[in-house]
Amino acid sequence: MATPNNNNNSMSINNFLYKHQAWLPTLGMVFLTFNSITAVYRSINEPWTVLFIVSVYVNVVLLLSSVRIMERTPEGKRDGIKATVWSLASSLTVMFSYRVAQMMPFALAVIVWLMASVTVFGGFYALVVYREEPDLLPFRTKADDNGLSGEPKSHCRDNYFCSSHG
C-alpha cells in the first residue's frame, strides 16, 4: 500500500481551507459598506463628516485591493505597488489622526501626531526603503546554525508554526 504524499495532502487541505474561508473577506466588505452607509445616513446634515466617511471608505477599498494586487505580484516587481500601499495607508493614518486630534487637548494632540508620524515614516521605511538580502546559501554550511550541514535552510526564523515540533 502506497503512503500518501504529504505535500499533496497539505496542498489539498490548504486548498480546502482557502475555498471555505473565501467568504470572510466578502463578509468584511459587506460589514464595512453597511456601516459606512449607516454613518453617512446619520450624519447627512454634516457635509464634512459625510466627506470624511466616503473618503475613508474609498481609501480602505483601494488599500485592500492594492494589497491583494501586491500579494499576487512577483517579488521583484512590487516597488510601485508598495509605494501605493504606503501612500494609501499613510493617508488613512493622517485622516484618522486629524479627527482624533481635534477632540484632544493640545498635549495629547501632539502625542497623536507624533505617533502618526512614527507610523507613517516607519511604514515608508518598511515598505519602500528596506530591502531584504537575497538568500544566497540555500543549504547550511558548517559555520552556520551550530555546525549543521546539508539541511535545507529554514525561511521561518523564530516562528513556532514553521519549526518542527513533535
Side-chain angles (χ1 to χ4, degrees):
M1 178 177 214
T3 58
N5 188 349
N6 287 340
N7 289 339
N8 288 341
N9 282 344
S10 65
M11 289 294 283
S12 64
I13 290 171
N14 288 339
N15 199 10
F16 173 80
L17 291 175
Y18 176 75
K19 286 181 181 178
H20 292 287
Q21 292 179 354
W23 57 272
L24 285 173
T26 304
L27 181 65
M29 284 306 299
V30 167
F31 183 73
L32 175 68
T33 303
F34 175 76
N35 280 328
S36 297
I37 291 170
T38 304
V40 166
Y41 177 75
R42 289 183 179 179
S43 59
I44 198 70
N45 295 327
E46 300 173 24
W48 288 110
T49 304
V50 171
L51 180 66
F52 175 77
I53 295 166
V54 170
S55 62
V56 165
Y57 178 79
V58 169
N59 198 328
V60 167
V61 170
L62 289 173
L63 178 63
L64 292 176
S65 63
S66 297
V67 168
R68 187 173 176 103
I69 291 169
M70 185 176 78
E71 289 173 344
R72 292 179 176 192
T73 304
E75 189 68 39
K77 299 179 181 180
R78 292 184 179 178
D79 291 338
I81 299 170
K82 283 183 179 182
T84 302
V85 167
W86 171 77
S87 63
L88 289 168
S90 297
S91 64
L92 270 175
T93 302
V94 169
M95 285 191 284
F96 284 123
S97 298
Y98 175 74
R99 293 291 288 207
V100 170
Q102 282 181 332
M103 298 180 262
M104 299 286 176
F106 180 73
L108 292 178
V110 169
I111 292 173
V112 166
W113 281 110
L114 285 174
M115 289 174 22
S117 300
V118 167
T119 303
V120 167
F121 291 119
F124 179 76
Y125 178 78
L127 285 173
V128 179
V129 175
Y130 177 74
R131 302 275 185 231
E132 190 170 319
E133 294 180 19
D135 191 11
L136 299 176
L137 298 173
F139 292 95
R140 297 177 178 147
T141 62
K142 288 186 179 183
D144 294 336
D145 297 328
N146 299 325
L148 300 174
S149 63
E151 296 178 15
K153 192 170 187 178
S154 173
H155 296 286
C156 302
R157 295 182 186 101
D158 299 328
N159 189 341
Y160 178 80
F161 295 107
C162 289
S163 62
S164 58
H165 284 34

